Amino acid sequence: MSKIGEAERKAQNRVIDLLSGHQTDAPGGLGWRYLGDWLKRDGNANIEEDLLRPWLLSRRYAPEIVTQAITLLKREARMEGTKLYEANQSFYEMLRYGVAVAPGPGEAPITVRFIDWGDPAANDMGVAEEVAIEGKDVKAWNKRPDLVLYVNGIALGTVELKKSTVGVGEGIRQTLDNQRPEFIRHFFTTVQITFAGNDSEGLRYAPILTPQPYWLAWKEESEISARLDRDVTQMMAPARFLELIHDFTLFDAGIKKIARPNQYFAVKAAQERVAAHEGGIIWQTQGSGKSLIMVMLARWIREAQPDARILVVTDRKELDRQISEDVFGGTGDKVRRAKSGTDLMAALADPTDRVVCSLVHKFGKREETEMAELISDIQSAKIGAPVGDFYVFIDEAHRTQSGKLARAMRQVLPEAMFIGFTGTPLLKSDKETSLETFGPYIGKPYRFDEAVEDGVVLDLRYEARDIDQRISAPGKIDAWFEAKTKGLTPIAKATLKARWGTLQRVLSSRDRLEQIANDIIMDMEMKPRLNAGMGNSMLVAGSIPEACKFFEIFRKSGSVLADKCAIVTSYKRAAPEITGEETGMGETEKQYVHRVYTDLLGETSEEDYEEEALRLFKKEPGRMKLLIVVSRLLTGFDAPTATYIYIDKQMRDHGLFQAICRVNRLDGDDKDFGYIVDYKDLFRNIESAVDDYTSEAFDAFDKEDVEGLITDRAEQADQDLRTARDAWLGLMDGVDQPKSDDEIFAYFSSPQGIDIDPDSEEKARRRQALYKIAGRYARAYANIAAEPEGSGFNDLELGEIRREVEKAIGIRDAVRLHSGDAVDMKLYEPAMRHLIDNYIRAEDSEVISHLDDISLIDLVESKGADAVNDLPPASKRKRENVADAIENNVRKLIIEETPVNPRFYEKMSELLTDLVRQRREEAIEYAEYLERIAALVRDAKAGHGKEYPDSIKSAGLKALFDNLDTDEAMALTVDRAVRETTPFGWRGNAMKERKVRRCLQQILDDPDTVERIFEILKNQSEY
């Protein structure tokens, strides 16, 4: 059992004991054997041949076959000329499918498999600790993962552990650092799962190159209460560990993915149904990765059952591509894409096509006719009978048409197993029919509120906005109508009125749309994420003509949206559509839409325009801030995500559910929620909607199926601010009274220098909390400051909070500088600067600082004594604080650069120490001290002194000269010999490094000097 604050070493020992029982000769614990502490072991690698070779020989492969297979595997693990993702992917395929080795000329190849996936106990599962790996980069210190999980000598997992008082995020960042090219990226070509954990939070897991926000937590019932022990037991048992790699790992368009718990258990439940040949429906809420469940299950069925054939019917091009290209490409199986009902039947009759995809396009009202045509084609096709054991996946199973398609397919494939997939709840009216068509739910439905709790999707914030419409002079309107329709019969007039609905709608529409547009333009200026260019939004218009009107309004607005919005609808220009429209009485709706599109596109096709608009919206949101849509892009796998969705269209049930889930996707640390702005009062009374989801917009769903979907934005914003403020005040409680600058710096930083502060590690943890909490407090305040009218805080309270937030941001900036922390762009992204500039500072105040992309070191180097003027107010109030901050930063620079030229930086350190002593003894004036520090920084960044013989020109030569007792001839001799001797790519290659050492040994007599100069050469990039 763990204890709070227990040392990291004890947690590591406990995990090893769980895995292996500390037995070295045989597996123990969960089934691993302890390989030892490899901190001082030479030659640690991601493929340990001494472990792999015996295992392969025990599988009765011939020795010469084993040698060839290991050579091929090691070649695949190298990163020569490839990126880590590509190297890891190609290695994974060899690991999963084996490698073909020919015993001799003309002989049939033998497939060598490096892992027994079917029998986990047949593998040699080993865990080593403190595995020191030599870094590739010249300045990188050797890195060592806390634990490495080896399977038959192949490193498949790494584990970073922290004590319970240090956040798991630190272990994640450490793992990501290790994957950087300057450290030990080359080690991760074989690694399939990376773990980080502590006793407080348990484990987080991810494949390689996964950004910190997307690391996952495992979720599974257990009698073990200790989080770390529970997660280790559940995830690292050999069978589960290997299963996650083999069945639940995908390479998807440049991103490696491992299943979330909800995906894993959905597939496992489906596997049980497959074994019993019983269909059903998999319901996983929008945004929780439903399509990957489909992909993983399809692959598992195909591999587990040789005669199985899979038919996937989807309306999503991206999923169609993913199945056909990414997943099955490595196995050599081709995927046939059916173009029509007849083509689909032909594919079903051809047993060579093991995986068939039928893509059903869906664009607004055309969906029903297209689906009906497909069903008719299937039923009337005169083609041979289908061949094989079929498993039919039908996407969007909540739709009525999908049920009709399933029933039509069942007539053609009466023995097939049908699985429906849905991301939204089933309508109450359709639920019984859908369950009859497909079968009961497979596994437990993964509802929206559970996905929010798990951090899979974001919570939604809702607000209704009313644009009031009134006709000010109804009598004049009636007179106008009578004049325009003079000569029509009463019946004709009635028909005309019925066609247009109400005159009020026609006359007020543009004015109303302008009001909505102005509303959105204001949000673009005021909402932090929209203003900063980090987030974007979608506007759902009621019709294509209304979408065109919105587009024209924005284009002529002169606002930020004038050139940063696009219109994406199902409209396609065609001359026949406006034939017969000309009346001479003004533009008809069809003529208007045609004109808007023609003015916008010119000779460009609708497809090319939309493709570029979507690319900008997804990849460069600062250049495409708003998409105007009608029904396109609101559903489906490849629909874009946004921060805000504005709805000015009557929507209900599935359409509304899927549309609002456009904004629930994770997208960076500064996106806390998805926001829904409703101009149609779709939820009528938000208070009753929050309490009772069976009313109004979602009354066709069962209440428990949509529970927790939306919350009132203003009410929740108040709660968020209270929570953020409590966290800030709680953090500051630890600072001693009177909580002035001295006490704040003493609590978070190291006034006497980080190298002599025994609490430096604890203070680093406090600073991480400070940066995070201050940013969250600022965002929470900004969300209310933009619209204080709806808040429960009064002006006096908001004024006090504003001052607190000002101080919080000032403290954050000052502590960051004082402590010498590296510039962290995440903390200083444009969104935060926007908050500070627009909401936090009073109108007559200065900007807190302009240190987004410049360190204190750079500031001192460029400005000398004047650097003080650019510091945050909290930093420059006291000279002592400025001096401490500068010294911490300079000392950090010297420590980091010492390997490049040790003797020179020793002098730098001595000079700094002397300057500090003189400053503390007040032997030099403050301004002179700052200028001398600036000169020291400039020298330190140069990496060498100023006075050298004429022949000593390069940085490498200067380092040799400094470290060979200023012996010019010897420095030149070593430089010349090394340049003539060092082979390309010598760093990190043991044999090539030995060649460089031998070269030095022929020139230098003292072994210590040889080693010292060798390390300098490794750290000097010119050699």
Side-chain angles (χ1 to χ4, degrees), residues 432-601:
E432 186 174 344
T433 304
S434 297
L435 295 178
E436 285 178 0
T437 301
F438 293 99
Y441 283 129
I442 295 176
K444 178 186 174 186
Y446 191 60
R447 295 181 172 89
F448 183 87
D449 53 348
E450 188 176 2
V452 170
E453 181 184 340
D454 293 344
V456 172
V457 297
L458 293 173
D459 205 353
L460 298 174
R461 296 287 180 265
Y462 171 90
E463 64 175 304
R465 294 182 186 173
D466 180 36
I467 304 295
D468 194 18
Q469 295 186 94
R470 289 186 300 273
I471 293 180
S472 57
K476 291 183 178 180
I477 296 299
D478 290 340
W480 178 90
F481 185 78
E482 288 298 327
K484 289 293 181 182
T485 57
K486 190 174 182 179
L488 293 181
T489 66
I491 294 176
K493 288 183 180 181
T495 302
L496 185 61
K497 284 187 177 182
R499 178 184 174 188
W500 286 108
T502 64
L503 194 58
Q504 180 178 355
R505 172 191 166 207
V506 177
L507 293 179
S508 64
S509 61
R510 177 169 287 276
D511 183 58
R512 180 177 178 279
L513 299 186
E514 286 177 349
Q515 291 293 329
I516 292 174
N518 289 335
D519 219 16
I520 295 172
I521 290 168
M522 180 67 73
D523 281 354
M524 289 291 165
E525 298 292 343
M526 301 294 289
K527 301 297 184 186
R529 206 163 192 272
L530 298 179
N531 179 278
M534 301 296 290
N536 44 27
S537 57
M538 299 176 73
L539 167 59
V540 187
S543 65
I544 293 176
E546 285 188 12
C548 289
K549 290 175 184 175
F550 271 127
F551 182 71
E552 283 197 312
I553 292 168
F554 286 123
R555 289 296 290 266
K556 297 174 182 178
S557 66
S559 72
V560 67
L561 290 179
D563 59 351
K564 295 180 180 178
C565 71
I567 180 171
V568 179
T569 73
S570 59
Y571 177 76
K572 297 289 184 289
R573 287 171 296 169
E577 71 176 337
I578 55 173
T579 301
E581 286 290 307
E582 183 58 50
T583 65
M585 299 293 288
E587 239 178 2
T588 65
E589 278 201 342
K590 286 185 177 180
Q591 288 175 320
Y592 169 69
V593 172
H594 189 274
R595 176 180 61 78
V596 170
Y597 266 84
T598 301
D599 291 346
L600 169 64
L601 302 181

Side-chain angles (χ1 to χ4, degrees), residues 772-787:
K772 187 174 183 178
I773 291 172
R776 186 183 299 140
Y777 193 11
R779 286 199 300 272
Y781 169 73
N783 284 335
I784 287 182
E787 295 177 279

